[in-house]
Amino acid sequence: MNTAFRFALLLIICLTFHNGTSHAGEPTKPETEQKVQDPVRLILPAIIYAVPGIETNVYFDNVCLVTNPANYVFDVHCARGHLQNERWTFTPEEKEVGDYKFTLNVIDQNNQIVSSQESRLRVVPQDAGKEKTTSILMIGDSLTHNSMYPKHVRELSQKFQGPALKLIGSHNPKKDPGVQHEGYGGWTAVRFATHFKETARTGNYRERGSPFLYADENGKPKLDFPRYCKEFNEGKAPDLVTIFLGPNDVYSATDETIEARTDTMINHLDILVKMIHDYSPQTKIGFMLPVPPAATQDAFSTTNGRQQTRWQYKRNQHRVVERLTSHFGDKEKQQIYLVPTHLNLDCAHNYPAKSVPWNAQNPEKTVRQNNAVHPAGSGYMQIGDSLFGWIKEVSK
């Protein structure tokens, strides 16, 4: 190989690497194009709903994924509300109806913004939906089965000038007049979409099949929403449907299985959406985003939290919120909405807890949370407050 040829070959190699080609011949992305991973995985909804006279909160631990939120500073920029240690909080007055820009910055110990997102605070008029009657079907798991937030929402509609809510459903576990729904402890999206039994809609809820599945003329199970509406709403489709699922779908998931579990959940949620909209395209469907668990590992040491750590379940729940937001977000024109129920729940103070000794040799008592995923009554009320804000908005 002569000197001129060696020089030309060397020049070609240098130009190739200068143009961003790796040893394997694959182009490398310029550093400015590399996607930077948000270190706290901040996730805010597009809209934060508020109603005059009802407290609205954004609890910072609920919108990020970090082991200790105290390691960061959360800084809200909004023309309304108050910034506190663990939350931004606001109880609007009627004169404050309107939209406000809402920006949340997350700052590290070096005083650098490591994450930032924008949302809109929407204060809905207290008389939104006044003199309207709105039918609503609530689909969910044990958090709906408990019936506390459905009852609270119904009471709010009576207190805050409507809309007059007609709750429809085959299930009324508390025998509370007017508080029907389709909420069952332990249920998943898969069960609602596929689990068929002849005992659906009656009897012990643990032995029921999906309330939406009926045997067709050949005896085969079929999702039949028109027939369901004929039985429970005089043949009319509900004006609103809420779906509040997730805990049972992904509770035991790991980082290795969470994507597959969430895929399965979303695939079956799509089936339920199609079932509803095939019969009634104008029905508004609100996906209530899964709420975070109790704030401490103590809650996961009890019967309702064994075989899982608080951190792993928080990771699972947060991922579901991310995936639901990605899949169902920005679909209002298709009558699909996200209800930011995950924002407003005080996971430190509104989950069940009891006073117990520090240990066997020290009778001095401390308070420990004792339920991992089921809030106390005060927590259910906060969930209902969030849902009611959305109901007001879509009833204007």
Side-chain angles (χ1 to χ4, degrees):
M1 187 181 295
N2 62 40
T3 302
F5 182 81
R6 285 200 301 267
F7 177 80
L9 182 61
L10 180 61
L11 181 60
I12 291 172
I13 294 172
C14 290
L15 287 173
T16 298
F17 281 110
H18 179 73
N19 287 332
T21 303
S22 67
H23 288 281
E26 296 293 331
T28 57
K29 292 183 180 180
E31 187 175 343
T32 55
E33 293 182 12
Q34 299 286 346
K35 184 177 180 181
V36 178
Q37 176 69 42
D38 180 345
V40 301
R41 284 169 64 176
L42 186 63
I43 184 164
L44 286 179
I47 301 174
I48 301 168
Y49 303 105
V51 177
I54 299 177
E55 182 184 77
T56 295
N57 303 291
V58 175
Y59 286 93
F60 302 132
D61 190 35
N62 297 15
V63 296
C64 67
L65 188 63
V66 295
T67 53
N68 187 1
N71 290 335
Y72 297 88
V73 174
F74 294 84
D75 185 17
V76 172
H77 292 262
C78 184
R80 294 294 184 271
H82 304 280
L83 180 62
Q84 297 179 339
N85 186 53
E86 79 285 4
R87 66 175 181 168
W88 169 89
T89 184
F90 179 44
T91 304
E93 299 178 16
E94 188 67 26
K95 64 182 180 182
E96 296 175 297
V97 166
D99 274 27
Y100 303 90
K101 184 178 179 180
F102 184 99
T103 303
L104 174 57
N105 295 329
V106 184
I107 302 168
D108 67 10
Q109 64 181 4
N110 297 316
N111 208 31
Q112 299 298 308
I113 296 176
V114 296
S115 185
S116 180
Q117 282 193 10
E118 290 186 359
S119 181
R120 300 294 298 177
L121 169 64
R122 179 162 298 164
V123 182
V124 186
Q126 197 176 88
D127 64 355
K130 185 178 180 180
E131 299 180 356
K132 282 187 178 180
T133 297
T134 299
S135 59
I136 181 169
L137 167 62
M138 299 181 180
I139 301 170
D141 51 31
S142 56
L143 274 71
T144 305
H145 184 135
N146 179 278
S147 300
M148 290 189 70
Y149 83 77
K151 181 178 180 180
H152 182 55
V153 167
R154 186 168 179 265
E155 291 172 344
L156 287 175
S157 73
Q158 296 166 347
K159 180 179 178 181
F160 288 89
Q161 305 181 57
L165 289 180
K166 177 188 177 184
L167 276 62
I168 67 173
S170 64
H171 195 37
N172 189 346
K174 298 297 179 68
K175 308 302 181 185
D176 198 341
V179 188
Q180 294 79 225
H181 52 70
E182 299 297 350
Y184 302 92
W187 280 38
T188 62
V190 173
R191 181 154 182 152
F192 275 107
T194 66
H195 184 64
F196 175 74
K197 292 186 76 173
E198 295 288 353
T199 53
R201 298 168 292 279
T202 60
N204 187 318
Y205 82 91
R206 297 182 186 278
E207 299 173 0
R208 293 187 186 190
S210 169
F212 311 120
L213 282 166
Y214 294 81
D216 64 13
E217 61 274 10
N218 298 315
K220 295 182 179 180
K222 174 185 176 182
L223 288 169
D224 193 340
F225 199 55
R227 183 171 173 182
Y228 173 86
C229 292
K230 182 178 180 180
E231 288 192 28
F232 299 102
N233 198 35
E234 301 174 340
K236 301 174 184 176
D239 300 304
L240 309 177
V241 174
T242 59
I243 300 177
F244 194 22
L245 294 168
N248 300 303
D249 301 79
V250 302
Y251 181 84
S252 61
T254 64
D255 286 357
E256 291 71 33
T257 62
I258 185 60
E259 297 304 326
R261 291 277 198 95
T262 310
D263 285 343
T264 298
M265 176 185 174
I266 289 176
N267 288 340
H268 289 84
L269 291 176
D270 281 337
I271 291 171
L272 296 176
V273 168
K274 184 176 186 302
M275 173 194 77
I276 296 163
H277 278 168
D278 278 353
Y279 181 54
S280 175
Q282 69 273 19
T283 293
K284 295 178 171 64
I285 300 175
F287 281 97
M288 299 171 63
L289 295 176
V291 295
T296 68
Q297 179 60 37
D298 292 344
F300 283 80
S301 68
T302 63
T303 301
N304 286 311
R306 290 177 186 164
Q307 299 180 340
Q308 186 57 288
T309 64
R310 192 258 176 189
W311 177 236
Q312 183 63 63
Y313 180 70
K314 177 68 160 59
R315 292 177 64 83
N316 297 346
Q317 172 267 335
H318 193 86
R319 185 58 182 149
V320 171
V321 172
E322 291 175 331
R323 291 285 305 277
L324 290 178
T325 299
S326 174
H327 189 77
F328 292 112
D330 197 27
K331 290 188 175 180
E332 290 82 1
K333 291 182 180 179
Q334 301 174 43
Q335 307 299 335
I336 296 173
Y337 299 79
L338 298 176
V339 185
T341 33
H342 67 303
L343 297 181
N344 195 46
L345 179 58
D346 186 341
C347 298
H349 304 100
N350 288 359
Y351 270 81
K354 64 180 180 180
S355 179
V356 295
W358 277 109
N359 54 65
Q361 302 303 330
N362 187 338
E364 182 182 344
K365 291 191 173 183
T366 186
V367 175
R368 294 188 186 275
Q369 292 183 318
N370 63 351
N371 197 304
V373 296
H374 301 96
S378 53
Y380 282 112
M381 299 301 180
Q382 287 184 309
I383 292 172
D385 290 344
S386 298
L387 176 56
F388 186 64
W390 174 76
I391 291 172
K392 277 286 192 183
E393 164 66 12
V394 297
S395 299
K396 290 192 297 187

